[in-house]
């Protein structure tokens, strides 16, 4: 199977001008990362090809409807996944965070079904798709790892769909924070902006601010500072 190719523009790269090599064996995200799923022999071949780069708030990390040129794993930062509607506008569908893989459909030559835009500054680790084929790591075990992540992503999108159907903004916001924390395997999360949460939950930033205060007063979240909170309620 040959790597897919396309002449379509794939959007701007992350903001970081440099691409330092990642240190996978020491990375705290490795247990959540595609690299952590691969056999040691394949991982050793790929480590020199992994490039870590920074991105800025508002950067397009993944365009919907195009075949990605690389696989990216979010190392730090918050990202909004959106899906274009019949009205031609992108509508938020999920929050993505640490450990989430972007662009895995490129392995099979398929276009991406959602776009991903950064909600904050952060970093990603990137693997160019042609390199995977050049090094010969795209074998049965590799496909199994990628397919497991794709299946898991479908389940996570279903979870986000379920959250959107919860009645009551405060309960919906709490479920959003619980799911976001669970997917990052950490109760302490960096809160997305009020604007981002309002866009995701189809409300106003003022309502989000008020609901966060109510959740804190009820003991469901513990604010560590302006941007970080601990989700106390079971995730």
């Amino acid at each position: 199977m040959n790597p897919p190719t396309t002449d379509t523009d794939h959007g701007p790269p992350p903001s970081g001008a440099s691409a330092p090599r990642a240190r996978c064996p020491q990375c705290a995200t490795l247990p959540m990362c595609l690299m952590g799923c691969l056999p040691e022999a394949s991982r050793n071949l790929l480590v020199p090809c992994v490039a870590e780069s920074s991105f800025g708030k508002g950067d397009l990390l993944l365009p919907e409807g195009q075949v990605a040129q690389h696989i990216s794993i979010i190392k730090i930062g918050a990202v909004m996944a959106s899906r274009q509607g019949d009205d031609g506008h992108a509508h938020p569908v999920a929050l993505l965070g640490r450990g989430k893989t972007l662009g895995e459909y490129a392995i099979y030559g398929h276009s991406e079904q959602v776009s991903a835009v950064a909600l904050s500054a952060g970093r990603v680790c990137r693997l160019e798709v042609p390199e995977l084929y050049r090094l010969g790591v795209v074998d049965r075990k590799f496909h199994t790892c990628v397919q497991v992540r794709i299946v898991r992503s479908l389940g996570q999108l279903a979870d986000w769909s379920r959250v959107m159907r919860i009645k009551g903004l405060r309960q919906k916001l709490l479920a959003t924070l619980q799911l976001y924390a669970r997917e990052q395997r950490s109760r302490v999360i960096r809160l997305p902006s009020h604007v981002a949460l309002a866009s995701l939950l189809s409300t106003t930033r003022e309502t989000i601010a008020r609901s966060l205060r109510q959740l804190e007063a009820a003991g469901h979240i513990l604010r560590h500072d302006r941007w970080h909170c601990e989700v106390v309620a079971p995730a």
Side-chain angles (χ1 to χ4, degrees):
M1 183 176 180
N2 294 321
T5 59
T6 177
D7 295 326
T8 308
D9 178 23
H10 294 271
S15 297
S18 61
R21 293 300 173 188
R23 298 181 178 179
C24 293
Q26 294 81 31
C27 181
T29 307
L30 186 61
M32 306 168 61
C33 175
L34 173 64
M35 292 287 284
C37 171
L38 297 176
E40 185 176 359
S42 296
R43 187 163 60 245
N44 289 340
L45 283 173
L46 287 175
V47 164
C49 301
V50 178
E52 182 181 328
S53 58
S54 63
F55 58 80
K57 181 179 179 180
D59 281 355
L60 176 63
L61 304 182
L62 187 73
E64 180 184 345
Q66 298 180 17
V67 179
Q69 289 291 306
H70 51 263
I71 293 177
S72 301
I73 297 91
I74 301 172
K75 189 170 184 178
I76 296 175
V79 174
M80 182 75 81
S82 300
R83 172 83 169 174
Q84 184 171 312
D86 293 337
D87 57 3
H89 297 291
H91 299 274
V93 295
L95 289 174
L96 310 178
R98 184 170 71 99
K100 179 64 178 177
T101 304
L102 306 175
E104 61 261 53
Y105 292 151
I107 296 296
Y108 307 106
H110 295 305
S111 59
E112 295 303 315
Q113 299 303 298
V114 297
S115 61
V117 176
L119 295 175
S120 67
R123 296 200 301 273
V124 293
C125 290
R126 303 172 65 187
L127 274 168
E128 301 296 326
V129 173
E131 286 292 288
L132 303 175
Y133 287 90
R134 183 184 68 81
L135 293 171
V137 299
V138 184
D139 54 15
R140 177 181 293 181
K141 290 183 178 179
F142 183 89
H143 283 303
T144 296
C145 288
V146 172
Q147 290 164 6
V148 165
R149 301 187 80 79
I150 290 174
V151 170
R152 189 177 299 157
S153 293
L154 292 174
Q156 290 169 341
L157 285 175
D159 283 337
W160 282 109
S161 177
R162 173 185 56 79
V163 166
M164 298 308 146
R165 297 178 65 84
I166 294 175
K167 294 182 179 180
L169 192 281
R170 191 173 72 175
Q171 291 75 15
K172 187 181 296 185
L173 178 58
L174 177 59
T176 294
L177 299 179
Q178 288 176 328
L179 180 55
Y180 189 50
R182 188 180 75 194
E183 290 185 357
Q184 297 187 70
R185 303 182 188 178
S186 173
R187 289 192 182 276
V188 179
I189 58 173
R190 179 181 174 88
L191 282 169
S193 70
H194 293 176
V195 172
L197 289 170
S199 178
L200 179 67
L201 301 180
S202 300
T203 186
T204 65
R205 59 187 301 181
E206 292 79 13
T207 303
I208 291 294
R210 182 171 61 252
S211 297
L212 285 172
R213 291 194 297 268
Q214 292 172 344
L215 290 176
E216 184 177 15
H220 294 307
I221 63 172
L222 175 64
R223 297 295 291 266
H224 287 201
D225 53 38
R226 180 183 178 186
W227 293 111
H228 296 85
C229 79
E230 180 178 352
V231 182
V232 180

